Amino acid sequence: MNDHQIITNYIGHAAQLPAEDPRAKRWALQALALASAAELPLLIEEAEGVLGRIEHDTTCTWCAGQPGAEIPIGSFWCTN
């Protein structure tokens, strides 16, 4: 696997996990670190987006209190 494939693999897996799963944040951070080291701006942006979704899903006063209310996978915007 090349760098791009490794990074997108981490991002893809992190995006599919619930925010409360510790692997989600770990994999998103790993993707961000690798993308930054490889100087791949699009993948840096994607990893930051996944981290933002994880942050939202764990801190939003509405979403964090409602099981299954996290941001849908296809959107980074809270719909609540």
Side-chain angles (χ1 to χ4, degrees):
M1 290 176 77
N2 63 36
D3 292 344
H4 188 273
Q5 292 170 319
I6 293 168
I7 297 165
T8 56
N9 187 43
Y10 277 127
I11 292 170
H13 281 91
Q16 297 299 318
L17 290 172
E20 55 275 353
D21 189 320
R23 296 174 300 169
K25 188 170 187 176
R26 183 176 51 232
W27 289 343
L29 286 171
Q30 184 71 26
L32 180 58
L34 292 171
S36 296
E39 298 179 357
L40 298 168
L42 183 60
L43 294 180
I44 291 170
E45 185 178 330
E46 290 293 324
E48 288 173 342
V50 171
L51 282 169
R53 189 225 6 123
I54 292 167
E55 179 71 19
H56 168 271
D57 288 356
T58 56
T59 60
C60 175
T61 55
W62 193 89
C63 294
Q66 300 293 321
E70 63 273 348
I71 296 174
I73 296 298
S75 170
F76 288 126
W77 299 100
C78 180
T79 57
N80 303 304

